């Protein structure tokens, strides 16, 4: 089966940089995704890494190391609106099953 | 563009009752998924479908059934609801070449008494 581990909570200061790590165990790995979810809302897609390296989208970047089964989400210039839960998710198997981690609750403080 | 629409958004059931959650997407996506979300548990995959007429089990399929008779619709059924099925249910869809990008519905909050 699949398993993903990420920290349960992170607190960071507005304007700072925060990194949320994710380690995974799976077979038939395709790629690692990141999602943001505000309280009471639906998850929204942030990024996807299929190959090793860094992907940058605005203030958000995502990194993948397939050999280490490890990835991270980097949020720069933190804003109060970035306070949310962040989930890593693995796409695996022939039918591209998508399995989520338990999420990291990010609190941005002034 | 409606995207992914779930109905109903809220429902209260008594133990043993049955119900069906409907997910509809208008993006012509091949893949569709049903997840449940409980506090501290993240999103757990119940069932998913890679195309019309095909379904597969996820991490927590027991107590649920699904059907994908039309490409745009994915139904999640509870034959005999139990309090343990109290949860928020999310439907999602993606292209077959969607690079891990799922589009989610707004969620359906189900309470089983």
């Amino acid at each position: 089966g699949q398993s993903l581990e990420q920290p349960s909570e992170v607190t960071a200061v507005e304007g700072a940089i925060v990194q949320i790590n994710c380690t995974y165990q799976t077979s038939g790995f395709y790629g690692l995704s990141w999602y943001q979810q505000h309280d009471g809302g639906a998850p929204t897609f942030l990024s996807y890494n299929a190959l090793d390296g860094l992907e940058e989208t605005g203030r958000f970047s995502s990194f993948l190391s397939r050999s280490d089964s490890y990835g991270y989400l980097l949020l720069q210039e933190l804003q109060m609106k970035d306070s949310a839960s962040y989930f890593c998710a693995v796409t695996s198997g022939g039918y591209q099953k998508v399995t989520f981690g338990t999420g990291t609750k990010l609190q941005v403080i002034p | 563009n409606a995207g992914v629409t779930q109905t109903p958004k809220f429902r209260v059931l008594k133990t043993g009752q049955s119900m069906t959650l409907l997910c509809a997407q208008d993006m012509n996506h091949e893949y569709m998924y049903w997840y449940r979300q409980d506090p501290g548990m993240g999103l757990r995959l119940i069932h998913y479908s890679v195309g019309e007429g095909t379904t597969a089990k996820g991490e927590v399929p027991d107590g649920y059934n699904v059907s994908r008779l039309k490409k745009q619709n994915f139904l999640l059924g509870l034959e005999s609801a139990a309090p343990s099925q109290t949860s928020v249910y999310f439907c999602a869809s993606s292209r077959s070449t969607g690079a891990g990008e799922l589009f989610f519905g707004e969620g359906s909050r189900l309470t089983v008494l």
Side-chain angles (χ1 to χ4, degrees), chain A residues 90-104:
Chain A
V90 166
T91 300
S92 63
Y95 287 149
Q96 296 190 31
K97 180 168 64 174
V98 181
T99 305
F100 282 75
T102 53
T104 299

Side-chain angles (χ1 to χ4, degrees), chain B residues 41-76:
Chain B
M41 301 291 289
L43 291 146
R44 292 184 291 169
L45 181 63
I46 305 171
H47 287 280
Y48 62 109
S49 169
V50 299
E52 185 177 314
T54 67
T55 62
K57 294 180 180 179
E59 304 167 83
V60 289
D62 294 342
Y64 304 94
N65 57 74
V66 288
S67 64
R68 182 105 181 264
L69 298 180
K70 293 182 179 181
K71 186 177 184 179
Q72 64 267 35
N73 295 337
F74 194 29
L75 279 64
L76 178 70

Side-chain angles (χ1 to χ4, degrees), chain A residues 33 35 37 41-45 48 87 91 94-103, chain B residues 31 33 35 37 40-43 45 48 50 59 90 96 99-102 104-106:
Chain A
S33 304
Y35 288 80
Q37 185 181 31
T44 56
F45 174 80
Y48 178 76
F87 294 88
T91 300
Y95 287 149
Q96 296 190 31
K97 180 168 64 174
V98 181
T99 305
F100 282 75
T102 53
Chain B
Y31 293 179
Y33 306 80
Y35 293 88
Q37 185 171 37
M41 301 291 289
L43 291 146
L45 181 63
Y48 62 109
V50 299
E59 304 167 83
F90 285 100
S96 59
E101 182 175 5
L102 302 186
F104 281 85
E106 294 180 352

Side-chain angles (χ1 to χ4, degrees), chain A residues 10-96:
Chain A
V10 173
T11 300
V13 177
E14 188 177 15
I17 299 172
V18 70
Q19 178 174 313
I20 299 173
N21 299 320
C22 175
T23 58
Y24 60 88
Q25 289 186 330
T26 188
S27 56
F29 177 83
Y30 274 90
L32 186 71
S33 304
W34 289 92
Y35 288 80
Q36 179 192 62
Q37 185 181 31
H38 287 99
D39 285 346
T44 56
F45 174 80
L46 294 176
S47 67
Y48 178 76
N49 295 68
L51 303 175
D52 287 356
L54 191 68
E55 295 281 344
E56 298 181 66
T57 308
R59 294 188 297 115
F60 294 1
S61 302
S62 58
F63 172 82
L64 174 65
S65 169
R66 294 174 67 113
S67 60
D68 294 324
S69 297
Y70 164 76
Y72 66 72
L73 179 69
L74 192 73
L75 294 81
Q76 303 181 70
E77 302 173 13
L78 281 172
Q79 301 175 8
M80 299 301 292
K81 68 178 182 179
D82 296 330
S83 292
S85 292
Y86 293 84
F87 294 88
C88 59
V90 166
T91 300
S92 63
Y95 287 149
Q96 296 190 31

